[in-house]
């Protein structure tokens, strides 16, 4: 632009092209709205680029390497070596395929793509600052805006990410070699997934966790198999300790920790990974210009349609309340797109499933037994152990169980918890049951293919009904 | 179903009328076209007929009131429709129905909860599950349907297994709400008991049949005095209309330009005056002076004022010259008395007026300049070849001038009859507007009361008026002797812009010649 | 079938289609070739049609216009661009002395099938000279046609018609709304006749005449007044020859009018429209014609731009005033 400032007008300006933003954009485009999708880094956001996808790619690759190297009991003898940079290269290929897929889908649905960082000028105008050798900045005038800027890793004091000694999850996914040892601060799902991957690739991992157990939020019988397995893989756990500081020691680091009893710990490793949580990205948007501010949890308050306190502005995904999960963001993106197109959509899902891709995997949906009781139901619980599952035994992975929680009187399935092989896939059936208001009988009466892990689901419901076949009923 | 009836336009360009008399009472049964009231406008009293068969529900005005055209006049209960008012017992139903799509939005969603709770079939009872946990079990597609139909799924009774809510349940709930809305809407008084929004919905969901309209909304098309939507006029004319408070579209238009009605400034002014005249017509009644009062205030309105305006206009526009003359009429007296009996046999009262009329017409034929009209803006004097003679009549309400049309074409008895009738109608106030329009010359018989000569004021826009003095025995000179003879003095005023003194003198001579020698009329 | 395009994309699309259909069409101006136009109006044309048909000129408006006049007299169909309409002034002599007169001068032997394009109007926070709105200068010169579109769809159609017109057309593009909204624009070539207004919104109380970037705020004002005043909005599209019949037809229906233009008031085309109305339809007139325009000052620096340009609130006030007369 030589002189002057020609604004671009649009119906819907979506800030952030992650699983929330790009889904909202595509849906809105399908519904005939004029959409402008603004992204400052890469299409697909954290999930596609430095989150879900790359981590699962590496988990799969690491698994494959590990399995190959440890299947002598099946009569398989292999000498496995891993070239990390190639593994990462393959992972990058997968990521590229998906992100360019996102771009193509957006364009095919008439979405206008704009690269840059957006901030609010007022409740109907954004300023988009172009990065790199772009041309300064431009205005985007919108009827509605959707904030889908996602989250970033939390940085703890004294542990600024430098990409070399102090790593965040993004850096771990880009390692060009397998470190000999790592300290991982944080025993939540990211810390556990990373520690499992790295341990399987031969790294000596120490997990430092402030609380006294891994995976807070998951019941002990769910995380027990995971912890056991991790320990068997060589991961050592330091509970009740919080990372205090670090210093360079030779090529690596020395991490010092504090504990309640005052003793504290000292751990040496090649590097330290901090994976204590993620925080919503709201500070780059100049929200003051529209009178919005984050609530106590750091999110923007929204109604059941995703609308913030400002009528023309919506928020979805990690910046909105609720679990920080990609599929929740996508659902919200769809709902907001439909709302903007005038449809009577709303976030009225009954439950959001969640999965942890550790070994074994954990997956949950809906209510636990305690939650069902608190809600006033009389819970009926059914549980089927994988060691009673024919298929599980054939995979060599039979730790874990499928547990179903239902209302005793009506039989409505209220929730499920699974730990074991393919838990992340198996949970889908039960998520459907919860959403549909299916009863135990509905699932129990459905024929499940044999031999599959899904039979465990069927048997768990039968167990709740008191007539499981392949396990003892109470 | 109560139906409002608004006062229609009862005469050309009239904006209001005085309710003289009700011809029905509340509760009476009426037939279509039956007169229900007498309304007076512009000195004419008209009957207002009923447009419906039915009963009279409410008479909205009292006798003597001035009713603006377009105002609600009577409310009828039209035959064949339910006249009951209903207390809105089902307002909740209307809301929950929601198929009237306007009910959408937060209101539509919230209300069903509260009102349905009041209904005997509150959602809570059915499934113990729902009640215990406050949670409704329904598949996503059913939840979406509920949102689309604006049904709060939390209150829908589920008939699926264990009380699960099915698609049919949601649809049934949506329709169930509609049915009750239909009932509420169909009954007149829904407007009273329910919230306004419900009324609007009830209107929309209820079937047509006039019900919706009558639910108090009263949205009927506004009635205008002269029904035009567009009138052309010069900007200056528009200003005049504005200043005088006149609606241009109500002014009677006699011209067209470019295919549309066009009014002149004069037309606007005339209409304005006519309006004013009606404004307080009958209010001009003198009050009985209280004992000892030194002054009596009489309203200067209505007919009095109309007369005043017209007199002023005439006198100040036309330079009046009055020509006085007299003649002895012994022969006329003779003829009349001989014919009087014959006329009576035919039921006609024969006065001198028919003779006078005939004499005037005969003279006018020779002096067309006196049977004319000056149209200044067109710069023409229009001499008329038809003879409509106005007869001034004194009535309680004031001076009125019924017009006898085409005098030259009517016989004596016919004229006598017509004159008598018109005069009576004028006095009765039963005369119509048309009967007082279209005159080309006027006669005023002040002599009937008394007096010899006068200076009558021309009935504008005519150019001449002939006043008759009292017929009395007066001294005349015959063959050098003074004798007593019946004489008839005449006073003819003319508009000197159009008529010269010589014209009127000759005219006068001619009239008197006919009156003096009535047998000459046989030659006409 | 069509794509959703912005107004400036529609210019480009129209130029592209014209150049594809007719070899005689030449595009010329500053930065139009390799750069693709400072507003991207000519993007990609250089690559497709080459330097012989997409000419980067020196910074010389008089030369640009004069050369185009010569080319057009010769038989080509030049579409010269002046980068901002405020820069047409150095070429004003070429416009009024030659562009407008060639047909008359040559008794019809030479006509100039050229279209002089320029982004015009304010609203983009530009410095001096970049926000001019002087369509009245060109409407006053007989021999010139003046066209101002207000939507992407109209832009392509009017531009195509202008290029195909044997006489010179000044095509002013409202740059404020170059990218303000998208609209479906047919892929194929089509013409919208010059000299025809478009009724954007039907109404019966008042006719509001507008063009260019003023059409959207006028429609917004009309929407805001819905229920209170029934506003008819007529987008004139061509200012010369102006659609007199269209104006009068609308006015006869409503009897009241307002004209909205961002150009200054004095000597602005609102005066011309008012004169036409009172000449042809005086008896229908119920109120003076309200002129809602820019002010009689040089276009201000951009801090005051929003006060200068008519916006919905000012337009609504003007309409109300006219109704209440």
């Amino acid at each position: 632009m030589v002189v002057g400032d020609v604004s671009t007008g649009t119906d819907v300006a979506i800030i952030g092209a992650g699983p929330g933003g790009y889904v909202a954009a595509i849906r809105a485009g399908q519904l005939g709205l004029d959409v402008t999708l603004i992204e400052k880094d890469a299409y697909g956001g954290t999930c596609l680029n430095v989150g879900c996808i790359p981590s699962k790619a590496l988990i799969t690759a690491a698994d494959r390497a590990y399995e190959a190297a440890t299947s002598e009991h099946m009569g398989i003898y292999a000498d496995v070596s891993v070239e990390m940079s190639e593994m990462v290269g393959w992972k990058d290929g997968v990521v590229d395929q998906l992100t360019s897929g996102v771009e193509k889908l957006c364009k095919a649905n008439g979405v206008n793509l704009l690269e840059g960082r957006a901030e609010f000028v007022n409740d109907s105008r954004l300023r988009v600052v172009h990065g790199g050798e772009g041309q300064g900045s431009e205005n985007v005038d919108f009827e509605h805006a959707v904030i889908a800027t996602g989250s970033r890793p939390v940085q703890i004091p004294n542990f600024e990410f430098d990409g070399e000694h102090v790593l965040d999850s993004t850096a771990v996914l880009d390692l060009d070699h397998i470190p000999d040892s790592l300290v991982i601060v944080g025993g939540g799902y990211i810390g556990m997934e990373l520690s499992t991957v790295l341990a399987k690739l031969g790294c000596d991992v120490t997990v430092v966790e402030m609380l006294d157990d891994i995976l807070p939020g998951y019941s002990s019988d769910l995380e027990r198999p995971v912890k056991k397995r991790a320990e068997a893989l060589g991961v050592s756990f330091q509970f009740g300790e919080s990372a205090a500081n670090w210093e360079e020691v030779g090529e690596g680091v020395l991490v010092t920790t504090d504990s309640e009893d005052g003793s504290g710990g000292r751990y040496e490793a090649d590097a330290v990974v901090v994976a204590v949580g993620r925080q919503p990205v709201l500070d780059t948007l100049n929200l003051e210009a529209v009178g919005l501010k984050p609530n106590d949890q750091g999110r923007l308050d929204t109604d059941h349609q995703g609308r913030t306190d400002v009528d023309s502005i919506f928020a979805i995904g990690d910046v909105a309340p609720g679990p920080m999960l990609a599929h929740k963001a996508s659902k919200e993106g769809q709902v907001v797109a439909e709302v903007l197109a005038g449809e009577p959509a709303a976030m009225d899902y009954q439950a959001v499933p969640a999965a942890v891709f550790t070994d074994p995997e954990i997956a949950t949906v809906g209510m636990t037994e305690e939650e069902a009781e608190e809600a006033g139901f009389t819970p009926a619980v059914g549980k089927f152990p994988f060691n009673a599952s024919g298929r599980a035994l054939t995979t060599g992975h039979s730790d874990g169980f499928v547990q179903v929680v239902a209302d005793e009187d009506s039989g409505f399935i209220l929730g499920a918890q699974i730990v074991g092989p393919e838990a992340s896939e198996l949970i889908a059936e039960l998520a459907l049951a919860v959403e549909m208001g299916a009863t135990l009988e509905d699932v129990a009466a459905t024929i499940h293919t044999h031999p599959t892990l899904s039979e465990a689901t069927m048997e768990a419901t039968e167990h709740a009904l008191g007539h499981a076949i392949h396990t003892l009923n109470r | 179903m109560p139906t409002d009836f608004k006062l229609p336009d009862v005469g050309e360009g009239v904006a209001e009328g005085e309710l003289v008399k009700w011809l029905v009472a509340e509760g009476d049964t009426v037939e279509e076209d039956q007169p229900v009231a007498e309304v007076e406008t512009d000195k004419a009293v008209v009957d207002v007929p009923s447009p419906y068969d039915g009963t009279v529900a409410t008479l909205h005005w009292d006798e003597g009131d001035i009713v603006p055209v377009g105002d609600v006049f009577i409310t009828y209960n039209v035959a064949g429709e339910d006249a009951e008012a209903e207390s809105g017992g089902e307002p909740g139903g209307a809301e929950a129905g929601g198929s009237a799509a306007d009910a959408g939005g937060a209101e539509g969603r919230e209300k069903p909860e509260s009102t349905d709770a009041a209904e005997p079939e509150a959602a809570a009872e059915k499934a113990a599950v729902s009640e215990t946990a406050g949670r409704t079990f329904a598949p996503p597609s059913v939840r979406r349907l509920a949102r689309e139909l604006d049904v709060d799924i939390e209150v829908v009774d589920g008939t699926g297994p264990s009380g699960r809510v099915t698609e049919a349940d949601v649809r049934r709930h949506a329709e169930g709400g509609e049915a009750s809305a239909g009932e509420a809407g169909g009954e007149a008084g829904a407007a009273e008991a329910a919230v306004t929004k419900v009324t609007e919905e009830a209107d929309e969901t209820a079937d047509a049949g006039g019900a919706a309209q009558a639910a108090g909304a009263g949205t009927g098309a506004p009635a205008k005095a002269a029904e035009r939507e567009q009138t052309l006029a010069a900007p200056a004319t528009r200003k005049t209309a504005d200043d005088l408070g006149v609606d241009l579209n109500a002014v009677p238009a006699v011209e067209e330009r470019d295919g549309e009605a066009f009014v002149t400034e004069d037309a606007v002014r005339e209409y304005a005056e006519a309006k004013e005249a009606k404004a307080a017509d009958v209010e001009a009644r003198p009050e009985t002076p209280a004992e000892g009062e030194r002054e009596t205030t009489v309203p200067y309105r209505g007919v009095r004022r109309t007369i005043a305006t017209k007199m002023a206009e005439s006198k100040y526009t036309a330079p009046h010259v009055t020509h006085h003359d007299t003649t002895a009429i012994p022969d006329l007296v003779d003829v009349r008395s001989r014919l009087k009996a014959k006329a009576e046999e035919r039921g006609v009262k024969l006065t001198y007026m028919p003779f006078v009329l005939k004499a005037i017409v005969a003279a006018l034929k020779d002096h067309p300049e006196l049977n004319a009209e000056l149209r200044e803006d067109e710069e023409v004097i229009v001499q008329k070849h038809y003879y409509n003679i106005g007869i001034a009549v004194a009535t309680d309400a004031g001076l009125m001038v019924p017009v006898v049309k085409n005098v030259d074409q009517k016989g004596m008895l016919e004229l006598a009859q017509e004159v008598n009738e018109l005069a009576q109608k004028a006095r009765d106030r039963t005369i119509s507007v048309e009967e007082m329009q279209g005159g080309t010359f006027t006669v005023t018989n002040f002599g009937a009361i008394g007096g010899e000569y006068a200076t009558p004021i021309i009935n504008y826009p005519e150019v001449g008026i002939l006043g008759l003095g009292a017929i009395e025995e007066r001294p005349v000179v015959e063959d050098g002797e003074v004798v007593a003879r019946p004489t008839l003095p005449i006073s003819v005023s003319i508009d000197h812009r159009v008529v010269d003194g010589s014209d009127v003198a000759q005219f006068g001579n001619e009239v008197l010649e006919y009156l003096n020698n009535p047998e000459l009329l046989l030659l006409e | 079938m069509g794509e959703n395009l912005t107004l400036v994309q529609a210019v480009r699309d129209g130029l592209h289609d014209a150049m594809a259909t007719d070899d005689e069409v030449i595009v010329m101006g500053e930065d139009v070739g390799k750069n693709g136009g400072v507003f991207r109006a000519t993007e990609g044309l250089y690559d497709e049609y080459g330097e012989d048909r997409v000419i980067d000129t020196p910074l010389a408006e008089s030369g640009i216009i004069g050369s185009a006049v010569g080319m057009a007299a010769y038989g080509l169909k030049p579409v010269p661009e002046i980068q901002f309409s405020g820069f047409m002034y150095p070429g004003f002599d070429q416009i009024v002395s030659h562009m407008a007169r060639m047909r008359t001068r040559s008794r019809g032997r030479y006509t100039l099938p050229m279209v002089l394009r320029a982004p015009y109007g304010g609203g983009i926070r530009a410095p001096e000279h970049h926000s001019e709105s002087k369509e009245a200068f060109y409407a006053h010169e007989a021999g010139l046609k003046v066209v101002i579109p207000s939507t992407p769809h109209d832009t392509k159609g009017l531009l195509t018609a202008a290029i195909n017109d044997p006489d010179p057309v000044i095509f002013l593009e409202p740059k404020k709304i170059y990218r303000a909204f998208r609209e479906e624009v047919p892929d194929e070539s089509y013409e919208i006749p010059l000299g025809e207004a478009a009724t954007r919104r039907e109404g019966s109380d008042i006719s509001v005449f507008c063009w260019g970037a003023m059409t959207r705020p006028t429609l917004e004002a009309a929407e805001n007044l819905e229920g209170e005043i029934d506003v008819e909005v007529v987008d004139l599209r061509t200012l010369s020859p102006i659609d007199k019949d269209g104006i009068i037809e609308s006015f006869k229906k409503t009897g009241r009018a307002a004209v909205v233009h961002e150009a200054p008031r004095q000597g602005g085309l609102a005066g011309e429209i008012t004169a036409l109305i009172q000449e042809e339809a005086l008896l229908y007139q119920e109120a003076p014609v309200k002129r809602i325009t820019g002010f009689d000052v040089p276009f201000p620096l951009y801090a005051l731009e929003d006060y200068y340009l008519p916006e919905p609130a000012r337009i609504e006030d003007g309409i109300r005033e006219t109704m209440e007369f």
Side-chain angles (χ1 to χ4, degrees), chain A residues 41-196:
Chain A
D41 289 323
Y43 294 107
T46 299
C47 169
L48 255 60
N49 291 283
V50 295
C52 331
I53 298 298
S55 59
K56 272 75 236 171
L58 291 182
I59 287 171
T60 302
D63 253 2
R64 198 174 291 187
Y66 185 78
E67 297 281 288
T70 55
S71 296
E72 285 173 5
H73 61 285
M74 292 184 188
I76 299 170
Y77 298 87
D79 191 15
V80 176
S81 70
V82 171
E83 184 49 61
M84 195 62 187
S85 58
E86 284 179 43
M87 186 186 283
V88 167
W90 166 76
K91 175 265 290 177
D92 286 342
V94 171
V95 168
D96 286 343
Q97 195 175 338
L98 286 168
T99 58
S100 65
V102 166
E103 223 181 304
K104 283 200 193 72
L105 285 168
C106 285
K107 286 189 180 151
N109 283 286
V111 175
N112 305 297
L113 299 172
L114 189 55
E115 278 161 36
R117 180 180 61 76
E119 57 183 48
F120 285 96
V121 175
N122 58 43
D123 65 1
S124 62
R125 173 171 281 190
L126 284 169
R127 186 122 199 112
V128 178
V129 180
H130 298 297
E133 349 91 64
Q135 293 176 339
S137 62
E138 65 183 276
N139 283 333
V140 173
D141 289 328
F142 59 83
E143 295 291 319
H144 295 100
V146 182
I147 302 175
T149 43
S151 59
R152 61 165 84 91
V154 170
Q155 193 167 251
I156 53 179
N158 298 331
F159 287 82
E160 284 77 39
F161 296 119
D162 61 11
E164 203 194 321
H165 298 107
V166 182
L167 308 174
D168 62 4
S169 54
T170 306
V172 172
L173 297 170
D174 253 343
L175 289 169
D176 59 1
H177 69 284
I178 302 161
D180 289 330
S181 57
L182 276 182
V183 169
I184 298 186
V185 178
Y189 77 92
I190 297 179
M192 288 311 300
E193 282 181 13
L194 292 176
S195 58
T196 313

Side-chain angles (χ1 to χ4, degrees), chain C residues 61-260:
Chain C
E61 288 77 15
S62 189
I64 294 169
I65 300 172
S67 310
V69 169
M71 288 181 186
Y74 179 75
L76 294 172
K77 290 186 177 165
V79 185
E81 174 188 296
I82 296 297
Q83 205 163 89
F84 286 84
S85 72
F87 301 142
M88 279 161 77
Y89 307 144
F92 199 74
D93 183 46
Q94 291 296 324
I95 296 172
V96 302
S97 299
H98 302 294
M99 205 171 138
R101 295 177 201 242
M102 194 60 75
R103 181 189 268 275
T104 321
R105 180 181 297 156
S106 69
R107 314 286 278 177
R109 280 197 192 82
Y110 293 104
T111 71
L112 300 180
M114 61 184 279
V115 178
L116 175 53
R117 283 184 48 245
Y120 97 106
I124 65 159
R125 302 270 182 278
E128 230 192 352
H129 310 308
H130 292 68
S131 308
E132 297 294 285
S133 184
K134 298 291 162 57
E135 60 271 25
F137 291 165
Y138 310 107
H140 194 49
E141 185 66 46
L144 294 176
K145 296 189 178 162
V146 180
V147 175
I148 302 180
S150 66
T151 69
H153 180 272
D154 279 4
T155 297
K156 181 171 171 178
L158 291 166
L159 182 59
T160 309
I163 292 172
N164 294 337
D165 196 304
D167 284 301
V169 177
I170 298 203
F171 194 84
L172 297 175
E173 296 159 9
K175 57 186 172 314
K176 177 174 189 198
I177 55 170
Y178 257 162
R179 295 207 277 271
F181 65 102
R182 284 187 176 74
E183 187 178 50
E184 189 167 330
V185 176
D187 282 338
E188 69 279 5
S189 216
Y190 61 98
E191 280 189 32
I192 291 180
L194 306 186
E196 274 185 28
T199 302
R200 297 289 178 202
R201 185 182 205 275
E202 297 223 356
S204 57
D205 286 339
I206 180 172
S207 307
V208 184
F209 303 103
C210 58
W211 55 91
M214 291 298 107
T215 302
R216 297 219 315 159
T218 303
L219 283 170
E220 192 180 322
E223 292 293 314
N224 292 346
L225 290 169
E226 174 135 9
E228 186 188 330
I229 301 172
D230 195 17
V231 180
E232 173 147 302
V233 177
V234 178
D235 175 3
L236 294 182
R237 305 199 292 194
T238 302
L239 281 317
S240 178
I242 202 166
D243 187 356
K244 185 174 82 159
D245 289 340
I247 292 170
I248 299 303
E249 192 185 313
S250 174
F251 187 78
K252 280 187 176 176
K253 209 169 65 161
T254 61
R256 292 170 203 258
V259 183
V260 183

Side-chain angles (χ1 to χ4, degrees), chain C residues 31-37 40 42-44 46-47 51 54-56:
Chain C
D31 304 310
V32 299
K34 301 194 190 91
N35 190 310
R40 299 275 161 275
T42 50
E43 195 164 35
Y46 182 82
D47 289 337
E51 63 182 10
V54 184
I55 304 170
D56 279 322

Side-chain angles (χ1 to χ4, degrees), chain A residues 144 157 243 310 424 440 458:
Chain A
H144 295 100
V310 176
S424 58
L440 292 167
M458 181 181 74

Side-chain angles (χ1 to χ4, degrees), chain B residues 23-106:
Chain B
L23 300 173
V24 294
E26 289 181 8
D28 282 356
T29 308
V30 293
E31 279 174 11
E32 193 178 330
D33 288 339
Q34 178 182 337
V36 294
E38 280 178 12
V39 170
E40 178 182 354
T41 66
D42 197 19
K43 310 180 193 175
V45 180
V46 297
D47 284 342
V48 176
S50 167
Y52 310 109
D53 289 328
T55 55
V56 177
T58 319
L59 300 177
H60 291 279
W61 300 85
D62 294 325
E63 291 176 3
D65 284 343
I66 306 289
V67 183
V69 167
D71 268 27
V72 175
F73 191 57
I74 298 182
T75 303
Y76 295 98
N77 279 325
V78 181
E81 303 199 21
D82 187 2
E84 289 296 293
E86 176 64 29
S87 73
E90 310 277 336
E95 289 290 17
S99 74
D102 314 8

Side-chain angles (χ1 to χ4, degrees), chain A residues 115-305:
Chain A
E115 278 161 36
R117 180 180 61 76
E119 57 183 48
F120 285 96
V121 175
N122 58 43
D123 65 1
S124 62
R125 173 171 281 190
L126 284 169
R127 186 122 199 112
V128 178
V129 180
H130 298 297
E133 349 91 64
Q135 293 176 339
S137 62
E138 65 183 276
N139 283 333
V140 173
D141 289 328
F142 59 83
E143 295 291 319
H144 295 100
V146 182
I147 302 175
T149 43
S151 59
R152 61 165 84 91
V154 170
Q155 193 167 251
I156 53 179
N158 298 331
F159 287 82
E160 284 77 39
F161 296 119
D162 61 11
E164 203 194 321
H165 298 107
V166 182
L167 308 174
D168 62 4
S169 54
T170 306
V172 172
L173 297 170
D174 253 343
L175 289 169
D176 59 1
H177 69 284
I178 302 161
D180 289 330
S181 57
L182 276 182
V183 169
I184 298 186
V185 178
Y189 77 92
I190 297 179
M192 288 311 300
E193 282 181 13
L194 292 176
S195 58
T196 313
V197 166
L198 290 159
K200 285 189 180 174
L201 290 172
C203 176
D204 185 3
V205 178
T206 306
V207 173
V208 171
E209 166 57 51
M210 205 164 65
L211 303 174
D212 18 308
D213 212 343
I214 59 165
L215 299 172
Y218 291 97
S219 60
S220 56
D221 60 346
L222 282 175
E223 50 89 354
R224 198 177 312 120
V226 172
K227 189 155 94 195
K228 213 173 78 179
R229 181 82 168 124
E231 281 168 345
L233 289 169
V235 176
S236 55
F237 290 94
Q238 309 302 330
F239 292 110
E241 292 182 36
S242 59
N245 215 330
W246 69 280
E247 61 193 58
E248 262 188 73
V249 162
E251 299 278 304
V253 300
L254 173 68
V255 177
T256 48
T257 66
D258 291 333
S259 54
E260 246 189 45
D261 63 9
S263 56
R266 300 161 61 80
Y267 309 98
E268 259 188 64
D270 286 11
V272 55
V273 177
V274 178
V276 298
R278 296 180 64 85
Q279 67 193 173
V281 173
L282 287 172
D283 50 1
T284 58
L285 291 164
N286 192 27
L287 289 176
E288 295 75 43
V290 292
L292 282 174
K293 31 193 270 261
N295 62 20
D296 292 336
Q297 288 77 44
R299 321 282 187 98
L300 285 177
D301 287 322
T302 56
D303 67 8
H304 64 290
Q305 289 187 320

